[in-house]
Amino acid sequence: MGYLGIWLLAGVLVVGVSWAQREVTMQQGPLYRTVGSHITIWCKVSGYQGASEQNFQYSIYLPSAPDREVQMVSTQDPSFSYTIYNQRVRTGDISVERVTGDHTLLHIRQLQDRDTGEYECHTPNTDPKFYGSYSAKVNLSVIPDTLLVSSSAQTLQKVEGGSLQLSCEVSHSTLQHTHLSVSWYRKNGEQTEEIISLNRDFSLSPGSSYAQRFSVGDVRMDKVGNSTFRLTVYNLQPSDQGEVYCQGALWIEDPDRSWFAMTRKRSEGSEVIVQATDREFNVRLETDRRMYSAGESAELRCIIEAQNAADRVFAVSWAFNSSLIASLSPGGVAVLTGEYNQREGQGELRVARDSDSIFSLKIFRLRPEDSGKYNCRVTERERSASGEMVDRDSKRPKNIPITVSPLKTSVTVTVVANSSSVLEGSRIFLTCLVASLSGPQSRISASWHLQDAQNRQREVIQQDRDGVTWASQAYRERASTGGLRMVRSSSDTFTLELESSQRQDAGAYECRVTEWLPSYDGDWQRLGERSSKTSVDVTSLETGFAVMAISRTPGVSYYDSFDLQCILKPHYPSWVGITVTWRFQPASGGDTHDLVTFSRSGGVQWGERAGNFRGRSIVEKADSSHNVRLSISRASESEAGKYQCVAELWRRDYNASWARLAERASNLLEIRVQRPVSRLQVSKGKRSVVVLEGAAVTLTCTVHAQSNPGSRFSVLWFAQEPSGADGKLIVRSGASMEYGTYAEEADLKNRLQLEELTPGHYTLTLLGVRQEDSGGYYCQVEESVLDPNQAWYQLAKDASGLTEVNVKIPDKNLQVDQLPRNVTSLEGESFTVTCQVMNRTLPQSRLSLEWLVWRAGEPERRTVARLSPDGIALQPSEDEDRGGLELPSRFHLWQPSPGLHTLTLHQAEVQDSGAYSCRVQEWLQDPRGQWYKQADERSAATYVSVRRPGECYKLLGLQRTPISVYWRKAKTSEQISAVLIVCYNVV
């Protein structure tokens, strides 16, 4: 059927074996029919479900295109036919006859050459699933009609008592193996009757009107040569006249062993006229047989062969051994003599006129003394001129001797079993068929006997001739409960029924029949006994008992449904008791436990540990078998594991009790339940962040895709050390927050801030970052969803890209004024030197200052004053451990404006002269609150000269030279500081 074939193949594969298998059957082929003949092809469907009236579609595959379906006619769709068949379907040349709801006949009334092909019958599916065959095919070959039938038409004048001979040519040239039949017919007006036929099995049979004449050789048919069939009729009678013709038929044997007449043809007829002769008549005595047994019936027929017998008057008398039995007047009044009159009154004998030419003597209960010679005499009477009835002629045929044998039984007994082998627990049904020739006056008694496997004989049950039944002692209890019955369903049929058969019921069952006839004294006479037996084997229910568990979906996903089939073999009938229990061992571990039991009575009992199965499972038994299906919906991991079905076989005994026979366990069937595929995606972008120590840095984690709209997320933040080792957990957030060990190690607990800005967008902020916080950071998102049991489980996890955090201390940005200056002061007065801080790293940083002086003749600079970061002015001590001393009162440190620091010396002395500079140290506070030195800068020198009035000195032992010369030679500040010139009169 093209595309239908694909669906049919899918139906066979999916199919579960829990319903009947559809089967479409078609008339067996190949078939051969001739052109112009009428053919019917039957198609049936069985094993279907759905409507009782199924639809049928007939198609043909022509030899020119064997793979192309050409639709012909349908019971369902009037437009089903293709164009080439539309006209023939509309005119009724092609039609479908529905015999029953699932049986149709395809009719083609006038076969054509083009009707040769492969015919297909298809039934559209009405079943829940595709299972079985949905179409069948048969080949039909349309062959030429080569049958030829001919006979020369002529008019023949014949005389009564003469003979007739006609010939007919019948031939054919068919290649197939066929048989030919030829028949001669006589037609007179509207009435046609058969004379004689040569049947397809090469036997001759006369028509009913010619049977007697055929038996004496007056009618015959002969084959002359290869194709000539000759009819010969002797002793013609006026009734033989009319149109005589022959008919030939060509027969072929179909594959189902039936014969079909492919074609019939008749010849032209010849008109036969038979002229009657005088009023002579003949008498013939007939009987069906001449040997009888006592008690049987016999009939003798006295037949008058005369023209116009209905218009003539005949009287008949019957004689036995030349003694008169009875006489029958022309008016039909019978007169019997002696004891025959008594027997006629008892219904044992009857004399009758059956027709105008047939008279009969019937003896219904023959006796041995009825043996002898019988004859009849026929006397024709006519009215004389005087009006009196006188005998015109009298004739009698030859005697017929009859022999009546003494009484003996004529019973024949046949025993038939419903099956020679039955299944234990099923019914044994035996039929005893009795045939008797003794007539309705005889009676029958019967009994059943069993010869078991140990050759022990015992009577089972019997019924006397009055119909009274009783069981033997061994079977009396069984019969009282209805487990044993003997029934006479008709006059010649006795049945034995044993319900709930057991193994000991196997053996040879014998039916013994006794025939009885009433004797002449009113008692019953035993004619004899006949018997017949047959063997019945009882097969144990346990034989071949096996269980198999199957599933077409061993692997399913969450929320899917799956079926488990418990297949029992062999196929037991519905009356066998079977209990099926499904057992389950979880994949997560644990022992095997009973899940659910389907009892033999159809009840369902759930196990104590069935749990979630009860609300999501269906247990059902197939209607046509004991197979039990467990259907589980909304699968989860709790349904994953190994399943096994265990079947118990029970037999119901005749007393309604149940006996457990066997138990079988199936194979283990593993079902795997797969979690849903994760679609979780977390941002993978990598980035680097540079941040100053003490600031805050925010790390982001974004979920780009999730598996389920109702998913829950847990976010884990990890720190990865520069070594590249596995990250250490900082904190976990979700339903609750949990710190990792790294949060304790890195002192992060009080410096973390977690936020979910929008759904799926998470941040972690590190407050007051430190240099040791530098490193890689990433997040890991764990996605949890609800399983079918409404429990949360982790479906997937995904990690983000790495964020590199680099924590730096601020760059040094401390700048001190580097412009050299000169200060001149007189002894006893005050002078001031300045230290200008041009820039600093951070506004909140602290500064400490040291005032340094280098005097001529001293090897290095000496600190003369200090200003601590907290603003305390100190005089340096020689003991560094003592820190500093309070400055002398003539030293005064001052900060007149931000960034400007001054040192003022009161009551200056000559030895205070020198190169003064300031050393500035910048201090920053780390996130822990500890101060550390960030920068250290020294200013340019300020040259201070304290002199006495009128004096000019050149220090360092240099030659006396004008000061202006030294200034001109000085190239750098160091050179200037190396030669300090103090002169009072220098401006």
Side-chain angles (χ1 to χ4, degrees):
M1 287 292 295
Y3 67 90
L4 287 174
I6 301 176
W7 283 107
L8 290 175
L9 179 58
V12 172
L13 295 176
V14 164
V15 149
V17 274
S18 58
W19 49 83
Q21 180 172 347
R22 176 183 284 254
E23 182 180 14
V24 176
T25 55
M26 208 172 178
Q27 186 168 340
Q28 188 176 356
L31 302 176
Y32 296 88
R33 297 294 186 268
T34 56
V35 173
S37 64
H38 177 195
I39 188 172
T40 59
I41 302 175
W42 60 260
C43 180
K44 302 177 181 178
V45 59
S46 61
Y48 58 86
Q49 297 184 6
S52 59
E53 183 170 290
Q54 296 286 298
N55 284 305
F56 293 76
Q57 298 173 347
Y58 286 89
S59 302
I60 185 173
Y61 295 83
L62 298 174
S64 58
D67 294 328
R68 180 188 172 200
E69 177 194 9
V70 180
Q71 297 176 354
M72 296 182 71
V73 65
S74 166
T75 62
Q76 182 181 18
D77 184 6
S79 62
F80 178 80
S81 307
Y82 280 10
T83 304
I84 62 173
Y85 291 105
N86 277 341
Q87 180 63 25
R88 296 177 69 184
V89 171
R90 283 196 299 268
T91 61
D93 184 47
I94 297 177
S95 63
V96 178
E97 175 189 359
R98 183 177 293 278
V99 181
T100 62
D102 52 12
H103 179 193
T104 60
L105 295 175
L106 171 65
H107 287 274
I108 303 179
R109 303 193 183 282
Q110 292 287 331
L111 280 173
Q112 303 176 8
D113 283 330
R114 63 177 181 174
D115 293 333
T116 295
E118 186 178 43
Y119 286 73
E120 181 181 57
C121 171
H122 170 72
T123 62
N125 183 35
T126 61
D127 307 325
K129 296 183 179 179
F130 282 94
Y131 183 46
S133 66
Y134 289 78
S135 64
K137 294 182 178 181
V138 63
N139 280 304
L140 170 65
S141 296
V142 181
I143 60 177
D145 184 358
T146 61
L147 180 65
L148 298 175
V149 179
S150 64
S151 178
S152 299
Q154 51 188 319
T155 300
L156 300 174
Q157 297 283 344
K158 297 292 181 179
V159 178
E160 181 181 3
S163 62
L164 171 68
Q165 195 172 79
L166 293 172
S167 296
C168 181
E169 294 290 328
V170 182
S171 64
H172 72 93
S173 58
T174 305
L175 297 179
Q176 284 70 30
H177 177 70
T178 56
H179 285 193
L180 197 65
S181 67
V182 178
S183 300
W184 286 94
Y185 292 89
R186 183 183 67 84
K187 183 177 181 182
N188 193 356
E190 295 298 321
Q191 182 180 1
T192 301
E193 63 178 353
E194 180 186 7
I195 301 174
I196 191 171
S197 295
L198 175 63
N199 301 313
R200 65 170 184 271
D201 59 356
F202 313 113
S203 64
L204 284 172
S205 61
S208 59
S209 300
Y210 290 86
Q212 176 63 30
R213 297 169 69 183
F214 173 80
S215 66
V216 297
D218 283 347
V219 176
R220 61 181 297 164
M221 180 167 59
D222 300 290
K223 184 178 181 182
V224 182
N226 292 328
S227 60
T228 302
F229 297 85
R230 186 169 62 202
L231 169 69
T232 304
V233 181
Y234 299 103
N235 295 317
L236 282 171
Q237 301 175 9
S239 59
D240 293 329
Q241 68 181 8
E243 181 187 13
V244 179
Y245 64 91
C246 74
Q247 177 179 279
L250 193 61
W251 298 78
I252 190 166
E253 187 179 25
D254 286 342
D256 62 0
R257 308 300 296 237
S258 65
W259 287 89
F260 180 81
M262 293 191 295
T263 180
R264 295 178 188 269
K265 294 181 180 179
R266 59 156 285 179
S267 69
E268 293 182 280
S270 292
E271 190 69 29
V272 177
I273 302 173
V274 179
Q275 184 177 359
T277 58
D278 55 18
R279 296 185 60 191
E280 281 295 319
F281 69 90
N282 294 314
V283 179
R284 187 173 74 251
L285 183 61
E286 290 183 353
T287 185
D288 293 334
R289 54 194 177 100
R290 301 186 180 189
M291 302 295 295
Y292 294 89
S293 296
E296 290 184 326
S297 298
E299 179 182 6
L300 293 99
R301 294 177 296 277
C302 188
I303 302 173
I304 303 172
E305 296 175 346
Q307 296 181 13
N308 303 317
D311 300 328
R312 299 163 73 173
V313 179
F314 295 99
V316 177
S317 61
W318 291 94
F320 169 65
N321 290 336
S322 300
S323 297
L324 182 63
I325 298 175
S327 60
L328 191 67
S329 69
V333 178
V335 178
L336 288 92
T337 64
E339 66 171 314
Y340 293 104
N341 186 40
Q342 297 177 359
R343 294 177 69 177
E344 193 268 345
Q346 296 172 354
E348 295 184 13
L349 185 143
R350 191 185 71 174
V351 176
R353 179 178 180 175
D354 298 335
S355 68
D356 293 333
S357 59
I358 300 176
F359 298 82
S360 63
L361 168 64
K362 296 180 181 179
I363 305 174
F364 295 107
R365 293 179 60 186
L366 286 170
R367 304 174 182 178
E369 55 266 31
D370 290 329
S371 297
K373 297 178 181 179
Y374 289 82
N375 208 331
C376 69
R377 176 175 290 277
V378 177
T379 302
E380 183 178 12
R381 293 181 178 183
E382 63 181 5
R383 193 173 300 274
S384 65
S386 62
E388 296 179 346
M389 296 297 297
V390 297
D391 293 343
R392 194 190 71 82
D393 194 4
S394 181
K395 292 183 179 180
R396 71 180 180 88
K398 293 181 179 180
N399 295 331
I400 290 183
I402 286 183
T403 302
V404 180
S405 302
L407 284 173
K408 62 179 181 179
T409 183
S410 60
V411 167
T412 58
V413 180
T414 305
V415 175
V416 179
N418 62 330
S419 176
S420 60
S421 178
V422 299
L423 193 63
E424 179 183 8
S426 63
R427 184 176 67 163
I428 296 176
F429 189 90
L430 298 163
T431 302
C432 182
L433 300 173
V434 181
S436 173
L437 300 177
S438 300
Q441 68 273 21
S442 67
R443 288 190 181 181
I444 298 295
S445 64
S447 62
W448 288 94
H449 300 260
L450 171 64
Q451 181 181 3
D452 61 19
Q454 288 74 38
N455 291 322
R456 293 175 299 190
Q457 291 273 358
R458 59 178 179 267
E459 182 181 299
V460 179
I461 195 169
Q462 64 174 298
Q463 185 180 99
D464 64 15
R465 62 176 177 266
D466 295 323
V468 179
T469 304
W470 66 93
S472 66
Q473 182 65 34
Y475 288 88
R476 196 157 296 164
E477 178 187 354
R478 191 167 182 179
S480 66
T481 61
L484 170 67
R485 292 185 300 275
M486 180 179 180
V487 179
R488 187 171 186 174
S489 57
S490 64
S491 61
D492 58 355
T493 303
F494 297 86
T495 59
L496 176 66
E497 301 177 25
L498 290 91
E499 302 291 344
S500 304
S501 62
Q502 301 177 8
R503 295 297 305 280
Q504 56 265 34
D505 292 330
Y509 285 84
E510 182 181 23
C511 176
R512 299 176 185 175
V513 176
T514 302
E515 185 177 22
W516 305 81
L517 274 178
S519 61
Y520 304 122
D521 57 6
D523 200 358
W524 288 92
Q525 182 180 0
R526 184 178 183 272
L527 296 185
E529 181 181 275
R530 296 288 186 270
S531 67
S532 179
K533 64 174 63 177
T534 188
S535 295
V536 176
D537 185 32
V538 179
T539 305
S540 172
L541 279 173
E542 300 178 49
T543 303
F545 181 41
V547 185
M548 179 176 63
I550 63 171
S551 175
R552 299 189 182 277
T553 53
V556 298
S557 300
Y558 266 38
Y559 290 95
D560 284 351
S561 298
F562 62 91
D563 289 346
L564 307 175
Q565 291 269 4
C566 187
I567 307 298
L568 279 72
K569 294 183 179 179
H571 183 84
Y572 287 102
S574 58
W575 48 260
V576 175
I578 294 182
T579 298
V580 175
T581 299
W582 279 100
R583 294 178 177 173
F584 175 62
Q585 182 182 20
S588 58
D591 57 347
T592 302
H593 60 86
D594 289 353
L595 190 61
V596 65
T597 298
F598 197 99
S599 69
R600 63 174 183 268
S601 61
V604 176
Q605 179 66 45
W606 289 94
E608 295 179 356
R609 297 163 61 185
N612 295 324
F613 283 92
R614 297 193 63 171
R616 301 207 308 273
S617 303
I618 298 176
V619 184
E620 55 187 349
K621 173 179 169 293
D623 293 337
S624 59
S625 69
H626 288 283
N627 299 341
V628 175
R629 180 175 63 187
L630 175 62
S631 301
I632 300 174
S633 60
R634 299 176 63 240
S636 67
E637 285 184 335
S638 60
E639 285 76 50
K642 295 180 180 178
Y643 293 80
Q644 183 183 46
C645 66
V646 178
E648 295 178 353
L649 184 65
W650 296 75
R651 182 192 68 218
R652 183 181 176 90
D653 292 334
Y654 60 84
N655 57 3
S657 64
W658 288 91
R660 183 176 180 272
L661 302 180
E663 178 182 292
R664 298 287 188 272
S666 74
N667 53 297
L668 290 175
L669 188 62
E670 184 175 4
I671 299 296
R672 299 177 300 276
V673 181
Q674 302 170 351
R675 289 183 173 182
V677 177
S678 170
R679 294 191 292 273
L680 178 65
Q681 291 183 9
V682 179
S683 56
K684 300 293 183 181
K686 295 183 179 180
R687 66 189 185 112
S688 296
V689 177
V690 178
V691 62
L692 293 179
E693 187 177 43
V697 62
T698 298
L699 308 175
T700 61
C701 182
T702 303
V703 177
H704 289 310
Q706 60 191 72
S707 305
N708 191 292
S711 297
R712 288 183 179 178
F713 299 105
S714 294
V715 181
L716 291 77
W717 293 92
F718 291 89
Q720 188 175 51
E721 296 182 343
S723 62
D726 291 340
K728 294 183 177 181
L729 179 63
I730 301 172
V731 67
R732 176 193 182 102
S733 65
S736 62
M737 189 175 73
E738 179 183 347
Y739 289 103
T741 56
Y742 188 75
E744 185 74 32
E745 295 172 3
D747 190 24
L748 290 173
K749 280 189 175 181
N750 298 323
R751 296 191 290 126
L752 299 179
Q753 182 176 317
L754 293 168
E755 288 184 281
E756 182 180 5
L757 302 180
T758 58
H761 186 72
Y762 305 90
T763 62
L764 172 66
T765 301
L766 302 181
L767 303 173
V769 294
R770 306 168 183 172
Q771 280 191 288
E772 55 267 31
D773 293 335
S774 296
Y777 294 85
Y778 65 93
C779 72
Q780 178 177 290
V781 178
E782 296 177 349
E783 183 181 27
S784 297
V785 296
L786 278 173
D787 68 9
N789 298 319
Q790 299 303 304
W792 290 96
Y793 71 95
Q794 181 179 311
L795 173 63
K797 58 183 179 180
D798 193 19
S800 68
L802 197 66
T803 298
E804 290 287 348
V805 176
N806 184 10
V807 181
K808 298 175 61 177
I809 62 175
D811 293 336
K812 297 178 182 180
N813 200 18
L814 180 63
Q815 295 180 4
V816 182
D817 184 16
Q818 297 298 324
L819 180 63
R821 290 181 176 81
N822 295 315
V823 175
T824 302
S825 176
L826 293 177
E827 187 176 24
E829 293 182 354
S830 299
F831 66 85
T832 298
V833 292
T834 61
C835 181
Q836 180 72 48
V837 177
M838 308 298 294
N839 201 2
R840 59 202 303 174
T841 303
L842 295 174
Q844 64 269 27
S845 64
R846 292 184 178 181
L847 301 177
S848 64
L849 276 76
E850 288 185 357
W851 289 97
L852 306 173
V853 61
W854 180 80
R855 296 184 178 92
E858 294 181 355
E860 59 183 11
R861 297 180 183 85
R862 181 168 61 86
T863 302
V864 296
R866 287 180 178 170
L867 182 65
S868 67
D870 53 6
I872 300 175
L874 299 173
Q875 180 181 0
S877 172
E878 295 180 0
D879 186 357
E880 294 294 335
D881 293 334
R882 292 176 58 190
L885 301 176
E886 185 177 350
L887 283 175
S889 58
R890 70 189 190 96
F891 284 83
H892 179 69
L893 299 179
W894 179 244
Q895 186 178 1
S897 63
L900 178 62
H901 297 268
T902 62
L903 171 63
T904 301
L905 269 71
H906 300 286
Q907 299 177 1
E909 299 175 353
V910 174
Q911 57 267 32
D912 291 330
S913 298
Y916 286 82
S917 62
C918 69
R919 179 184 180 186
V920 180
Q921 294 180 335
E922 186 176 23
W923 298 81
L924 298 179
Q925 190 177 33
D926 65 18
R928 294 186 180 87
Q930 302 295 323
W931 292 92
Y932 66 93
K933 183 170 65 174
Q934 164 71 2
D936 190 338
E937 292 290 336
R938 187 159 58 88
S939 68
T942 298
Y943 302 102
V944 176
S945 173
V946 180
R947 64 174 179 79
R948 295 185 184 93
E951 294 183 346
C952 181
Y953 300 95
K954 184 178 73 172
L955 304 179
L956 299 177
L958 299 175
Q959 297 295 324
R960 291 184 179 272
T961 306
I963 294 175
S964 58
V965 175
Y966 287 98
W967 279 109
R968 289 196 301 270
K969 292 182 178 180
K971 301 299 184 182
T972 65
S973 61
E974 293 296 328
Q975 292 175 341
I976 295 173
S977 63
V979 181
L980 180 59
I981 303 298
V982 181
C983 187
Y984 176 77
N985 55 0
V986 177
V987 179

